[in-house]
Amino acid sequence: MSYLAKPKLHHPSLQPNALGYTRRDYEGAMSTMCAGCGHDSISAAIIQACYELDIPPHRVAKLSGIGCSSKTPDYFLGNSHGFNSVHGRMPSVLTGASLANRDLIYLGVSGDGDSASIGLGQFAHAMRRGVTMVYIVENNGVYGLTKGQFSATADAGSRSKAGGINEDSAIDLAALALQMGATFVGRGFSGDKEQLVPLLRAAFSHGGTAFIDVISPCVTFNNHSGSTKSYDYVREHNAALNRIDFIVGRNEITTEYAPGSLVEVPQHDGSILRLRKLHDSYSPTDRIAAISHIAERRALGEIVTGLLYVDDQPRTIHDHLGTVKVPLNQLGESALCPDNAALTGINASLR
Amino acid sequence: MKPTDIRNPDYFHKVVDCQWACPAHTPVPEYIRLIAAGRYDDAYMINWESNVFPGILGRTCDRPCEPACRRGRVEEQPVAICRLKRVAADYKGAIGERLPKTPGKKNGKRVACIGGGPASLTVARDLLPLGYSVTVVDGARQGGGMIRSQIPKFRLPEAVIDEEVGYILGMGVETRFGVWVNSLKEILVEGYDAVFVGTGAPRGREANLPGRQEAAAHIHIGIDWLASVAFGHVTKISKRVIVLGGGNTAMDCCRSSKRLGGEDVRVVVRSGFDEMKASPWEKEDAMHEGIPIHNFLVPKEFTHDKGCLTGVLFEKVRAEVDAKGRRNLVPTGEPDVHMECDEVLVAIGQENAFPWIERDLGLQFDDLGMPVLNQATLQSTLPRVFFGGDSALGPKNIITAVAQAHDAAISIDKFCRSEDLLQRPAPHVKVLSQKMGIHEWSYDNGITMDLRHRVPTQEIKKALSSIKTEFELGFDPQLALAEAQRCFNCDVQTVFADKACIECDGCVDICPVDCITFTADGEERELRGRLTAPALNASQDLYVSGLLKTGRIMVKDEDVCLHCGMCAERCPTGAWDMQKILINVAHAGQG
Ligand SMILES: Cc1cc2nc3c(=O)[nH]c(=O)nc-3n(C[C@H](O)[C@H](O)[C@H](O)COP(=O)(O)OP(=O)(O)OC[C@H]3O[C@@H](n4cnc5c(N)ncnc54)[C@H](O)[C@@H]3O)c2cc1C
Ligand SMILES: Cc1ncc(C[n+]2csc(CCOP(=O)(O)OP(=O)(O)O)c2C)c(N)n1
Ligand code: SF4
Ligand code: SF4
Ligand code: SF4
Ligand SMILES: [Mg+2]
């Protein structure tokens, strides 16, 4: 971390996006993370993705729980809405917000402790309900903020900095999200922005529940040789399935690829997700195959990354509940609080 | 690419753009930090070691450092380096004790310097502490050369010249002032071990046009006229004055005229405004004083009434670029323009003249009448004779004269010791890590957003009332501090240790100007195009690491690095360190 603010001066070639904002306009306050923390790189990737997608900062709501990871929303999108909730409770607060104002872009930022330990139940329900959001877990295998205890994503057999061995089995949040019904599931690595930024762009454009498990080394407590979440370990065991060339328009063709090496997934909004396959037989639109592939690879000691699964027609909480198209916060009092006659009508219909 | 060899002192020296651009390689950021710290004496001495005339240069330098300043590439204006130098001179205490002492015991070698301008004085300063006996001969009655005879006093007060010329004369120069040298042969027979020619470019170019002879009484050569003004022989000028020429001499002529009674003073130039030789700030100051500049007018004739000047006739021209890309001035065909005036100052260039050097001494001259010199050593074809300053390369400026004189002094010293002149001494390099704590540095790494501060000036009416009233008032300590803070400390270098880096991207993310990239190696041109921000300024180097663990390399584009140290603060392993690399070029006897 630094005490000084990041200087405002920027590179002379810095370009504004369609909204007239430069990448620097998507930054936030100065980070207080330890120097070298993977979480800072994820913040940088979010900044880059939002800038590239021309997202209006004031249309984004960032919600988080407790932890180093959950502190990071202060360090990006300084002009967006933010809410720092109780430990593990981000999903329910976000669900409420999203029901009240369905027009905002919701970004949930959490940690492995926040989501897999104390908040596991909240996590599972957000996934199965189809809450429209991008849910990012900055996964370092430890409770960084409370000085490095194992979290529920720590692999069995991995060693803590103090020397203790983790005997409990690990929760794979990506696999769990798939089981729970998330309609977009990916895994990235904070040390590989070339993969992470397009993954984030795809998630922001998904329109349903998009979950990304981002492995993010804790330099201070979990970057040693006995860790399975260190920079070195993740780089050695990373099995990337695909690379996303995220394309906004329908007809943009950038590069020619060998036949069969591309997967194109049209998105609900008309754009196309173009995937360059790195693994021949993998299909990112088959949920069950995805679950078993992750399990198989995991048994071999590999960490699969990339876009694991996407449903091009995601159903969301709003579909499930049949909510009105107009955000609740824009409805007048008479619509939100129906009069006595309406209540009588409803009661009568239930008799 | 090949990993950068940061042990080559030139690598980091080039990153300090201002110091690299300064002909004398003054360690600029080092003295700016000292000014910010209120250590004016120390700041002055750093300057004095390098450029010899800090108070003079702080008012008059052509400041090649400023267009080079990195700040100018990130925001609108560079740091006011030159005027900060003046602050050191203005606010210092007595520094006499800190000047080098001339040893009581001489080394037995005698050197003559012909001309007493900045070039000769610098040679004297460099050689006296080494035990040489130095004699300076000048036709003028005082030392200083054109600093004294040409630069008007409203830009450079006499007291400043006296002080800084005095420091050198006080070191024990034998002066022969008021003595013109009419024969080099006569000097040589005096048996000097070496002779330095620092006679400048003393001749003003003529405008041989119809009417020149007839109206001669009202037409003056600019530099001769300025010298007469400087020495008090001329104290008045007519009301209507035309100054011909677009260089700094023209600017000094017109501004001086305005102070000596000229009311309708105008500058008329052949070229366009942008092509004028005068520095932008000189043009600005002239126009600020109500002097119009007329461009694209070529003088054709001095009109007169029986020898009494009535004006100048000009042909209108425009610039045309020919097939070879050269700019030519061609007549527009419009009617000539006649401007009325009572006096004309001709400031259309300066020339060298060596009528006093016999051509049978073995000292060769080229077709243009310039001495044939070894560019590295400034030695002439007569081995004992060296040149420097305006006499060597034609009219330039003070700082170039000083820099060349340092070089000539090294050559003279080596010559007198029978050493190889081509073996030039290496610069002195001091490396000092600035790290004090996790995010504490021994330099101020905060970046201010302040725009360039203007130097306060004399109120215009008062300024024009006397030729001796100094126009610029200089920064006061508060303004100086604010301006000093704009310096990026480019000598505090980002030094990268390949082995320590874990490739966490921390530095890439935090760098405010996107200098740093981790990427696959490649050929330089191609690599420049695919960095975090494209490295389009080819004059600035890429700092390239060896192969890292992931098989990539670290590439840092030095171009717009703010030297803010954020990369080093963000680095978990200390792979980046901020190290002050203080470079001092060696002077005579310091090899
Ligand atoms: C009007 C004007 C304004 C200028 N303003 C600036 C400015 O603002 N900033 C800047 O950096 N530069 C300026 N210059 C240029 C600067 O003055 C010169 O580049 C610089 O002084 C050169 O130094 P020098 O030591 O080579 O020679 P000079 O300063 O020219 O000194 C040469 C000396 O040699 C003496 N001399 C010559 N021949 C003989 C002889 N045969 N016998 C004895 N003595 C002799 C002369 O009297 C003179 O004193 C200006 C020049 C002019 C004309
Ligand atoms: C209800 C509650 N229980 C416990 C804590 C203590 N606590 C703070 S952060 C944290 C763990 C955070 O871990 P993680 O979500 O992985 O974040 P990281 O710091 O690793 O990024 C815990 C247990 C708390 N703040 N609130
Ligand atoms: S403790 Fe770990 S997770 Fe928290 S900021 Fe430091 S490195 Fe990052
Ligand atoms: S010092 Fe480091 S962080 Fe600052 S501008 Fe230079 S490279 Fe970037
Ligand atoms: S912050 Fe340090 S360790 Fe991380 S990539 Fe940069 S130089 Fe390497
Ligand atoms: Mg954690």
Side-chain angles (χ1 to χ4, degrees), chain A residues 1-2 6 29-48 68-69 71-76 138 190-191 193 196 216-217 219 231, chain B residues 504-510 569-572:
Chain A
M1 65 175 273
S2 284
K6 181 165 170 174
M30 193 61 168
S31 169
T32 58
M33 299 289 108
C34 303
C37 177
H39 297 355
D40 277 335
S41 283
I42 301 174
S43 298
I46 294 171
I47 289 167
Q48 181 72 29
C68 296
S69 36
K71 283 170 70 181
T72 62
D74 195 20
Y75 315 137
F76 56 80
E138 309 192 340
S190 68
K193 282 202 204 66
L196 183 55
S216 175
V219 276
Y231 283 105
Chain B
C504 69
D505 266 6
C507 52
V508 178
D509 297 337
I510 195 63
E569 292 189 11
R570 212 23 111 72
C571 180

Side-chain angles (χ1 to χ4, degrees), chain A residues 1-13 23-24 30-31 35-36 40-41 44 193 223 231-232 235, chain B residues 73-74 439 445-447 449 488 502-505 509-510 512-514 533-534 549-550 560 566 569-570 572:
Chain A
M1 65 175 273
S2 284
Y3 285 146
L4 295 176
K6 181 165 170 174
K8 288 267 178 292
L9 293 174
H10 58 74
H11 195 275
S13 74
R23 175 164 43 77
R24 298 288 308 271
M30 193 61 168
S31 169
D40 277 335
S41 283
K193 282 202 204 66
N223 195 38
Y231 283 105
D232 285 350
R235 286 203 167 104
Chain B
R73 298 200 290 276
V74 193
H439 26 57
N445 64 326
I447 301 288
M449 293 300 285
F488 288 154
I502 58 170
E503 297 175 69
C504 69
D505 266 6
D509 297 337
I510 195 63
V513 282
D514 304 328
K549 237 183 187 169
T550 58
V560 293
M566 290 283 156
E569 292 189 11
R570 212 23 111 72

Side-chain angles (χ1 to χ4, degrees), chain A residues 39 67-69 110-114 137-145 149 151 153 216 218:
Chain A
H39 297 355
C68 296
S69 36
S110 179
D112 43 317
D114 198 56
V137 166
E138 309 192 340
N139 184 357
N140 53 18
V142 289
Y143 303 160
L145 192 69
Q149 302 84 351
S151 79
T153 65
S216 175
C218 168

Side-chain angles (χ1 to χ4, degrees), chain A residues 1-196:
Chain A
M1 65 175 273
S2 284
Y3 285 146
L4 295 176
K6 181 165 170 174
K8 288 267 178 292
L9 293 174
H10 58 74
H11 195 275
S13 74
L14 196 66
Q15 292 298 319
N17 62 13
L19 298 178
Y21 298 127
T22 69
R23 175 164 43 77
R24 298 288 308 271
D25 294 323
Y26 288 84
E27 290 178 352
M30 193 61 168
S31 169
T32 58
M33 299 289 108
C34 303
C37 177
H39 297 355
D40 277 335
S41 283
I42 301 174
S43 298
I46 294 171
I47 289 167
Q48 181 72 29
C50 290
Y51 157 76
E52 287 176 8
L53 286 172
D54 307 318
I55 289 179
H58 67 285
R59 300 310 296 158
V60 178
K62 314 166 286 184
L63 292 93
S64 62
I66 297 293
C68 296
S69 36
S70 293
K71 283 170 70 181
T72 62
D74 195 20
Y75 315 137
F76 56 80
L77 300 184
N79 291 307
S80 299
H81 308 277
F83 194 95
N84 196 203
S85 82
V86 191
H87 201 11
R89 270 60 183 169
M90 174 274 286
S92 41
V93 179
L94 189 146
T95 306
S98 137
L99 283 173
N101 183 359
R102 61 182 293 174
D103 273 5
L104 290 182
I105 300 165
Y106 288 95
L107 172 59
V109 177
S110 179
D112 43 317
D114 198 56
S115 282
S117 300
I118 194 170
L120 187 64
Q122 299 250 326
F123 168 77
H125 291 295
M127 294 298 113
R128 56 178 279 279
R129 281 179 182 147
V131 181
T132 48
M133 70 186 297
V134 176
Y135 193 134
I136 297 172
V137 166
E138 309 192 340
N139 184 357
N140 53 18
V142 289
Y143 303 160
L145 192 69
T146 54
K147 296 202 179 303
Q149 302 84 351
F150 286 122
S151 79
T153 65
D155 287 309
S158 61
R159 184 163 51 79
S160 77
K161 196 177 180 184
I165 302 292
N166 174 43
E167 302 292 356
D168 304 334
S169 64
I171 294 173
D172 183 332
L173 286 172
L176 191 56
L178 281 166
Q179 263 170 14
M180 292 296 136
T183 46
F184 179 111
V185 179
R187 179 146 44 218
F189 169 43
S190 68
D192 183 358
K193 282 202 204 66
E194 275 176 50
Q195 182 191 47
L196 183 55

Side-chain angles (χ1 to χ4, degrees), chain B residues 329-374:
Chain B
L329 295 175
V330 294
T332 62
E334 290 166 87
D336 291 344
V337 178
H338 185 252
M339 289 188 191
E340 291 181 4
C341 68
D342 312 310
E343 265 178 285
V344 169
L345 300 174
V346 182
I348 55 175
Q350 256 171 279
E351 286 164 354
N352 289 84
F354 301 100
W356 55 279
I357 297 184
E358 293 83 350
R359 302 296 141 127
D360 59 358
L361 298 171
L363 201 160
Q364 287 171 24
F365 288 84
D366 64 16
D367 298 345
L368 301 169
M370 294 299 285
V372 174
L373 303 175
N374 179 313

